[in-house]
Amino acid sequence: MKTKTTLMRTVAVFAMFILFNCNKNPKTSEDLLSASNVDSASTKQDPLADVPMPAKLDSAMRQSFDKETYQELKKLSKKNVKSFFITKENYLKMIDDLPVGADRVSFSFVQFNSAKFPGKYKELSKFDGSLYMLYSYIDKNGKYLTDKNYAILSVKDAVEVSEVDFKVMAEDYVNNIKSKIDRFVKGTQGNTLSVRISREDLEAYKARMATKKDIGKFKITLAQWVVFDNFLTKGQSSALSKKLSYFADENVGQMTFITDCVGANGQDIEDLSGDDFGKLCPNICN
């Protein structure tokens, strides 16, 4: 039975290669078979976990953000940026430290205002007054599992942020930033509060990382959701139907982010880049 299951998984993954061979992130059959073997040897994972964003959709989401939301963010503060980096060590630690019962990692949008935290979080001073994200762990019901939140974007070492301070930063985002960029969102819920990435997807991504030896860092680039049907082939829409079912017209304009893996040579590692499909809260919080 195990041999039959492994064979079926291998066939499924190879079929995905055929569907995505025109992607900007092409994968060789050896890469995909390697990933399938890693998955089979570890945990049961969705074979579509960590499928890179199809090239046209990836580009459209980045460009839509640049033309709309980012222009407003730059008006609010010249310190606002559209890309951050995460060190390999911090990214792996985020995954390895997933507590028992954690179903997702939640990246919450915040605004860091240093005047409200005198003598604290000096590592974040370059983001004073601008948009930032903190991550925390949640269970399948959306309940936060600890009172700790972490800053790992564009810092050398992770910065722990208390729950009290996190709430202040999250409220400042809602009042000072979200209220200004809600107009770009089609749905009445307004813009994104948090982007939630499943444990399953993160562990699948880590398994693929294990096959690479030249990882330098990760780049997190802000984007916003678009009407995806305009940028996918029928084959891509069919293959990604489960992932795309989480998104509706109401999500159009909501912020998300795309993860790219940068090699030690400064170039993107193709089959570890173009990753998105985090669930956007609100609309999809559980």
Side-chain angles (χ1 to χ4, degrees):
M1 180 64 70
K2 183 175 181 180
T3 300
K4 182 177 179 182
T5 301
T6 301
L7 178 59
M8 292 176 65
R9 182 181 294 273
T10 300
V11 170
V13 174
F14 185 76
M16 284 167 49
F17 167 73
I18 298 299
L19 288 171
F20 284 90
N21 64 359
C22 61
N23 196 337
K24 78 178 181 75
N25 300 319
K27 300 180 179 64
T28 65
S29 57
E30 290 79 10
D31 285 337
L32 289 166
L33 289 174
S34 174
S36 175
N37 290 336
V38 171
D39 290 349
S40 298
S42 53
T43 58
K44 293 182 179 179
Q45 295 171 329
D46 179 358
L48 290 177
D50 186 45
V51 172
M53 184 75 68
K56 288 185 178 180
L57 180 56
D58 177 297
S59 178
M61 291 175 65
R62 297 179 197 242
Q63 289 181 23
S64 182
F65 175 81
D66 289 353
K67 292 178 180 179
E68 296 182 343
T69 305
Y70 187 55
Q71 297 305 312
E72 184 64 28
L73 291 175
K74 293 298 287 184
K75 293 178 183 177
L76 295 175
S77 173
K78 292 182 179 180
K79 290 186 177 181
N80 275 314
V81 298
K82 59 183 177 182
S83 293
F84 307 87
F85 75 84
I86 302 178
T87 67
K88 177 182 177 181
E89 293 75 19
N90 284 337
Y91 201 93
L92 283 172
K93 182 172 174 56
M94 175 186 73
I95 300 173
D96 292 339
D97 286 354
L98 277 158
V100 175
D103 182 68
R104 269 161 275 174
V105 172
S106 177
F107 279 87
S108 297
F109 288 106
V110 299
Q111 183 187 39
F112 173 67
N113 290 304
S114 60
K116 295 187 177 183
F117 311 103
K120 300 170 71 175
Y121 313 124
K122 293 181 180 179
E123 301 90 337
L124 303 181
S125 60
K126 60 185 173 183
F127 299 109
D128 189 21
S130 65
L131 180 69
Y132 195 72
M133 285 184 283
L134 303 176
Y135 83 81
S136 48
Y137 300 110
I138 58 177
D139 66 14
K140 63 181 180 180
N141 296 314
K143 179 182 178 182
Y144 289 84
L145 295 179
T146 71
D147 58 358
K148 297 178 181 179
N149 307 272
Y150 301 93
I152 58 173
L153 302 184
S154 298
V155 294
K156 181 179 179 180
D157 300 309
V159 179
E160 185 176 313
V161 177
S162 71
E163 183 67 14
V164 172
D165 291 349
F166 164 73
K167 288 180 178 179
V168 172
M169 295 182 196
E171 184 176 353
D172 282 349
Y173 161 68
V174 170
N175 294 332
N176 304 329
I177 298 179
K178 181 179 180 295
S179 60
K180 305 296 192 301
I181 59 176
D182 279 348
R183 63 190 177 92
F184 300 115
V185 179
K186 188 172 182 179
T188 58
Q189 80 284 348
N191 223 304
T192 315
L193 296 175
S194 61
V195 178
R196 301 182 172 189
I197 306 175
S198 73
R199 181 181 200 132
E200 184 177 56
D201 280 11
L202 287 168
E203 290 179 344
Y205 193 70
K206 180 185 174 183
R208 298 190 65 80
M209 288 171 60
T211 68
K212 306 296 180 182
K213 297 181 180 180
D214 59 344
I215 295 174
K217 60 184 178 182
F218 296 89
K219 183 171 66 175
I220 303 299
T221 302
L222 295 173
Q224 67 187 42
W225 202 245
V226 296
V227 181
F228 58 81
D229 288 339
N230 297 336
F231 305 101
L232 299 177
T233 66
K234 290 183 178 179
Q236 290 169 339
S237 295
S238 176
L240 294 169
S241 59
K242 179 181 178 182
K243 296 287 185 181
L244 294 173
S245 66
Y246 296 122
F247 302 97
D249 287 347
E250 288 77 10
N251 293 117
V252 172
Q254 278 193 260
M255 286 192 299
T256 184
F257 60 82
I258 297 173
T259 302
D260 295 312
C261 182
V262 182
N265 61 0
Q267 301 297 312
D268 286 356
I269 298 176
E270 291 183 332
D271 55 346
L272 288 175
S273 295
D275 182 75
D276 184 38
F277 292 123
K279 296 180 180 178
L280 310 182
C281 177
N283 250 3
I284 313 154
C285 297
N286 294 327

